Amino acid sequence: LASREFLAGLPKAELHMHLDGALSPAMMFSLAQRNQVKLPYTSVEEIEAAYQFKNLQSFLDLLYQGASVLKHEQDFYDLARDYFAKCKADNILHTELSFDPQTHTDRGIPFDTVISGILRAMDDAKTEWGISSKLVMDFLRHLSAESAMKTLEESLPWKDKIIAVGLDSSELGHPPSKFTEVFARARAEGYRVVAHAGEEGPPAYIWEAIDLLKVERIDHGVRADEDPQLLDYLQKTQIPLTVCPLSNVRLCVFDKMAEHNLFSLMDAGLRVMINSDDPTYFGGYLNDNYFAIADAFPLTRKQALLLAHNSFTSSFIDDVEKQEFI
Ligand code: ADE
Ligand code: ZN
């Protein structure tokens, strides 16, 4: 079996992590003071105590409220810098982090402010710590397709710095089909494409993400196991699923870790790997997710190696660069 030491030492990539979801309660509290933003909390402990979620929406409400403390380029830098320090500690050699521009542009923060701070932290992480990273731009699916299209257009001057577009936020009631044109335009502009699907939403949303958005990777996708034909398709095509164990338990997708379907997806031959999603909200960074799985299941070294291997093969690093990692 894989010990904690073995898991911590494994070289890993992370492919599903939202930058706003890496804002620690301590940084939220200090940025609120620095930027004079009012929060409904009087201490860091109160923030931590508020993190009890009954579903995805109850979490998103607090995520977007927390993100309101981010105002300046330096704030986005500090946030990303904090995450990269955790990457270093967790032996993450490559990360594909996502950001949600609309969370910020909708409250008047310029797109350029957000992305400049993130890119500066990505450069520094590479230079100082040798951590490779790529940036994914997610659209908020509870907002309109027009708003997503406007965001896509705003991103075009930066398109060489953004590897892919994705889709996140409230899944139920906002199927991938709502964004067919936006994703077609994004692909035409040269972006790779991913989407959250099958987290709370049904297998039909995973099919739509594949057939209409033409995604190369599914974020979450754990509800695929309700559709045998879909499982078969995912096995044959090896479209990766970026699974997030602690997130799924904290958002009540599974009642407890012992009920998670990571192993049944692996046993069905799907290409899956482990990710942290929103580490400061769900009680752990990437290694904590590996540990939580290893605590609930007999995780062998071979299985752990396969998960870590899949994290690199499912990444958007080009084939030449991939040789360095696998
Ligand atoms: N935004 C941040 N984390 C998310 C998740 N797990 N699902 C949908 N949207 C998100
Ligand atoms: Zn996510």
Side-chain angles (χ1 to χ4, degrees):
L1 295 184
S3 65
R4 287 193 170 218
E5 204 181 7
F6 178 82
L7 295 171
L10 266 183
K12 291 166 282 273
E14 176 151 66
L15 307 179
H16 180 170
M17 201 298 296
H18 304 263
L19 194 56
D20 296 335
L23 177 62
S24 68
M27 188 179 287
M28 190 191 296
F29 201 73
S30 72
L31 282 178
Q33 290 181 325
R34 186 159 106 187
N35 293 334
Q36 287 150 2
V37 176
K38 261 192 94 60
L39 287 175
Y41 312 109
T42 60
S43 67
V44 171
E45 292 70 30
E46 265 184 42
I47 302 177
E48 284 163 353
Y51 291 173
Q52 309 284 343
F53 312 115
K54 61 179 197 296
N55 54 27
L56 174 58
Q57 192 61 50
S58 61
F59 152 69
L60 291 171
D61 293 342
L62 293 198
L63 177 73
Y64 301 143
Q65 176 189 79
S68 70
V69 304
L70 298 159
K71 290 199 162 175
H72 307 292
E73 192 260 9
Q74 186 67 41
D75 305 338
F76 292 94
Y77 176 89
D78 291 348
L79 172 59
R81 175 83 179 171
D82 210 49
Y83 168 64
F84 281 118
K86 297 300 193 298
C87 290
K88 184 166 180 276
D90 279 4
N91 208 20
I92 295 176
L93 308 187
H94 173 75
T95 177
E96 300 187 352
L97 64 163
S98 64
F99 77 122
D100 293 337
Q102 291 155 298
T103 297
H104 311 295
T105 53
D106 269 22
R107 53 189 181 85
I109 312 296
F111 187 99
D112 290 9
T113 300
V114 179
I115 196 168
S116 302
I118 300 170
L119 291 172
R120 187 159 64 86
M122 288 168 66
D123 279 347
D124 286 357
K126 177 75 197 168
T127 317
E128 291 174 41
W129 297 328
I131 299 170
S132 135
S133 60
K134 294 190 185 292
L135 188 57
V136 177
M137 176 174 76
D138 281 0
F139 302 115
L140 297 177
R141 69 203 303 159
H142 69 275
L143 300 178
S144 66
E146 291 72 34
S147 172
M149 191 66 95
K150 188 170 154 264
T151 303
L152 177 62
E153 281 164 2
E154 255 185 305
S155 77
L156 293 179
W158 299 94
K159 92 176 171 184
D160 293 344
K161 305 278 187 196
I162 302 171
I163 188 77
V165 298
L167 195 59
D168 67 358
S169 191
S170 323
E171 188 180 8
L172 290 168
H174 302 284
S177 51
K178 178 173 166 186
F179 298 93
T180 304
E181 288 81 29
V182 179
F183 275 65
R185 173 79 193 279
R187 281 184 280 109
E189 294 289 352
Y191 290 103
R192 316 283 295 261
V193 294
V194 302
H196 283 55
E199 177 185 19
E200 281 191 345
Y205 284 19
I206 302 177
W207 281 120
E208 281 191 11
I210 295 167
D211 293 336
L212 303 177
L213 307 188
K214 312 210 183 291
V215 295
E216 296 175 67
R217 214 157 67 194
I218 302 279
D219 288 323
H220 295 294
V222 289
R223 286 193 60 191
D225 74 358
E226 296 167 30
D227 179 343
Q229 266 182 301
L230 178 57
L231 276 185
D232 192 48
Y233 184 85
L234 292 170
Q235 189 274 325
K236 287 204 171 77
T237 56
Q238 290 292 293
I239 294 176
L241 305 186
T242 64
V243 173
C244 308
L246 283 173
S247 165
N248 291 153
V249 173
R250 294 296 291 269
L251 299 186
C252 309
V253 172
F254 298 97
D255 288 338
K256 49 183 192 308
M257 198 57 85
E259 287 170 17
H260 202 286
N261 66 0
L262 175 76
F263 287 89
S264 64
L265 297 171
M266 271 213 276
D267 291 345
L270 272 61
R271 192 189 285 187
V272 297
M273 89 302 298
I274 294 181
N275 304 272
S276 69
D277 204 11
D278 300 279
T280 50
Y281 287 83
F282 300 147
Y285 290 85
L286 187 55
N287 282 357
D288 300 313
N289 275 270
Y290 273 86
F291 299 160
I293 284 290
D295 287 345
F297 297 94
L299 174 68
T300 65
R301 286 183 177 217
K302 194 171 165 198
Q303 287 169 321
L305 281 167
L306 177 61
L307 288 165
H309 180 80
N310 288 346
S311 73
F312 289 104
T313 58
S314 306
S315 76
F316 291 136
I317 327 175
D318 68 40
D319 290 343
V320 179
E321 283 176 288
K322 260 182 201 166
Q323 307 295 323
E324 285 177 38
F325 293 107
I326 52 184

